[in-house]
Amino acid sequence: MSTAYWGPDFDALAAFDPEIADVVTGELDRLRGGLQLIASENFTSPAVLAALGSTLSNKYAEGYPGRRYYGGCEVVDRAEEIGIARAKELFGAEHANLQPHSGANANLAAYGAFMRPGDTFLAMALPHGGHLTHGAKVSFSGKWFNAVQYGVHEKTEHIDYDQVRDLAREHRPKVIVCGGSAIPRLIDFAAFREIADEVDAKLMVDAAHFIGLVAGKAIPSPVPYADVVTFTTHKVLRGPRGGAIVCKAEHAKAIDKAAFPMMQGGPLMHAVAAKAVNLKECLTPEYQAYARQVIANAQALTEGLAAEGLRPVAGGTDTHLALLDLRDTGVTGADAEARCDAAGIVLNKNAIPNDPQPASVASGIRVGSPAVTTQGMRETQMKEIATLIGTAIRDAEGSRTAEVAAAVRELVTAHPAYPEPRPAG
Ligand code: DSN
């Protein structure tokens, strides 16, 4: 191995561009200074950040390892080959593609592999927990395809599998999608497979939110059931910002051609290398313990919030996130988000199923445990955080903001994100 390394040099940035250096340190201060409860965020490791901030960023490598449209790819090829092998091992997958720049891109590639514009697909509606790219009218997915939408059962707030089957029989979609951004409960992949087989549809699982729990063997895997699984690499998984796809060998060619050249040009090789580093982290027993703790923490947080009078949608969580209905408190999601934010608790307003409010106001909040679990917090801290959220939300006048903010500071001081001293290198 060569010992040559030319990596991020913060002093050089600060000397050349103090304004942007100030943004970089300001964001680190913000991350360290509050409780990060956005369910889709996490704190990636120094090893991943080192790969991300490397000279691999310079390389054009359109194509795939050994089949590039540029010379000089023999070194970056190794990053992609290693990453693909790790993804296949981690998920027991027949094929992997690490090139999508994001989850939306991964989904576009999967649609591109299996559908033509105007084709019909079936997916969960965004207001019920789906995703923009699952057929929302404002997204390419709702503009270019005929998106039929299912939701959750009115009473149980679990996915309504009878509705999924009825809609599949009626519309005969080319693709059935499951997964989303606000689904607290486990998804029955076998049931989706059965429905897809009945109507001869491809089954696509958008596992962006929960793939880290699958990687950590903390919840069942969709891989044996799905034709294709798309995901992001930066949520519970804790890698760099980006997307990825695993699929059955029979779809490998179609998926690869859809990712490049149909949907993207050159891959971001620094990101591909960082994904490979992250996948190595996920293959460790420590990561598996982390994934289990993420769920235990989300459950403790949800129980605590229920005790504060916030109703858990679907009755609780099996994953890393919870959706809370605030209507009994008389506070909107938007106000709850703002009140928590003022005290250093970062979460997001979120529509609940059949929400009477517009999405910009919303009747709920979504909370997640990935980042605070990375900080080493456990169930005890989750109970404390739940009390702080309850206090902040009920505090219309802001008279207790300083008190909650002080408690937040104590928590994050005891469990720092990116603790000092910084690792060498
Ligand atoms: N925006 C992401 C989330 O917060 O869930 C999904 O793309």
Side-chain angles (χ1 to χ4, degrees):
M1 184 172 105
S2 164
T3 53
Y5 176 69
W6 187 270
D9 181 346
F10 185 77
D11 292 341
L13 172 65
F16 176 71
D17 192 341
E19 284 173 285
I20 291 298
D22 194 47
V23 172
V24 172
T25 50
E27 175 60 5
L28 180 58
D29 286 346
R30 187 194 69 79
L31 287 178
R32 283 173 166 162
L35 288 165
Q36 311 303 328
L37 297 177
I38 305 265
S40 45
E41 294 181 3
N42 210 334
F43 302 129
T44 201
S45 70
V48 168
L49 289 174
L52 261 187
S54 71
T55 51
L56 270 68
S57 168
N58 297 329
K59 190 72 196 96
Y60 253 115
E62 283 167 327
Y64 290 98
R67 295 176 284 131
R68 305 285 190 186
Y69 289 85
Y70 289 83
C73 291
E74 65 278 5
V75 180
V76 294
D77 271 6
R78 275 168 30 214
E80 193 162 350
E81 283 162 352
I82 291 167
I84 288 170
R86 287 177 185 166
K88 287 165 68 176
E89 179 187 349
L90 182 64
F91 297 115
E94 293 172 5
H95 181 70
N97 186 313
L98 300 183
Q99 294 198 4
H101 303 335
S102 68
N105 284 18
N107 288 349
L108 176 53
Y111 296 155
F114 298 135
M115 292 194 286
R116 296 284 163 270
D119 280 349
T120 297
F121 76 100
L122 176 60
M124 193 177 209
L126 178 62
H128 282 239
H131 189 255
L132 272 173
T133 59
H134 295 183
K137 284 283 168 238
V138 291
S139 141
F140 68 85
S141 58
K143 287 182 190 291
W144 296 347
F145 302 105
N146 175 35
V148 178
Q149 307 267 268
Y150 61 84
V152 294
H153 192 276
E154 202 179 341
K155 289 220 164 57
T156 64
E157 295 175 316
H158 288 242
I159 292 169
D160 187 342
Y161 293 95
D162 291 336
Q163 186 195 27
V164 176
R165 182 175 287 101
D166 289 347
L167 288 171
R169 285 176 179 162
E170 183 185 344
H171 295 279
R172 312 289 302 185
K174 284 257 172 67
V175 176
I176 297 178
V177 182
C178 62
S181 53
I183 304 174
R185 293 301 195 178
L186 294 181
I187 297 169
D188 185 345
F189 303 121
F192 271 103
R193 179 75 262 171
E194 200 183 296
I195 296 168
D197 284 344
E198 186 187 326
V199 299
D200 199 22
K202 299 284 186 298
L203 178 60
M204 168 179 156
V205 179
D206 179 344
H209 259 273
F210 56 83
I211 194 72
L213 302 175
V214 175
K217 308 207 181 316
I219 63 168
S221 171
V223 173
Y225 300 97
D227 289 283
V228 60
V229 177
T230 59
F231 55 96
T232 50
T233 47
H234 50 270
K235 296 188 171 84
V236 184
L237 202 65
R238 212 163 51 181
R241 203 163 194 94
I245 302 174
V246 294
C247 67
K248 303 268 184 243
E250 66 191 276
H251 305 309
K253 227 181 207 162
I255 287 291
D256 282 355
K257 278 166 81 173
F260 168 82
M262 192 211 85
M263 185 266 309
Q264 282 180 182
L268 310 177
M269 293 314 297
H270 57 305
V272 169
K275 288 170 191 174
V277 175
N278 168 236
L279 291 164
K280 182 169 183 174
E281 292 171 342
C282 293
L283 283 159
T284 61
E286 290 76 18
Y287 182 81
Q288 294 183 9
Y290 164 75
R292 289 192 297 272
Q293 189 63 48
V294 164
I295 297 176
N297 280 356
Q299 289 172 337
L301 182 58
T302 308
E303 281 163 22
L305 290 170
E308 292 292 321
L310 282 58
R311 186 185 71 83
V313 170
T317 182
D318 306 313
T319 63
H320 61 299
L321 71 83
L323 189 57
L324 290 311
D325 174 357
L326 305 183
R327 286 175 298 177
D328 288 347
T329 67
V331 180
T332 65
D335 283 343
E337 179 187 300
R339 289 175 194 178
C340 286
D341 206 45
I345 303 172
V346 185
L347 45 75
N348 63 279
K349 61 180 171 287
N350 211 103
I352 57 170
N354 304 308
D355 202 322
Q357 298 279 7
S360 56
V361 178
S363 299
I365 53 169
R366 186 186 67 164
V367 294
S369 58
V372 288
T373 307
T374 295
Q375 284 171 270
M377 296 194 205
R378 297 289 178 261
E379 288 90 332
T380 314
Q381 287 79 37
M382 296 305 117
K383 296 285 182 197
E384 205 178 319
I385 292 171
T387 308
L388 295 174
I389 291 173
T391 305
I393 286 179
R394 285 190 299 272
D395 182 23
E397 305 303 324
S399 56
R400 300 186 67 182
T401 305
E403 173 198 331
V404 175
V408 166
R409 269 195 302 278
E410 256 182 58
L411 275 167
V412 297
T413 304
H415 303 275
Y418 295 114
E420 296 286 7
R422 194 160 62 86

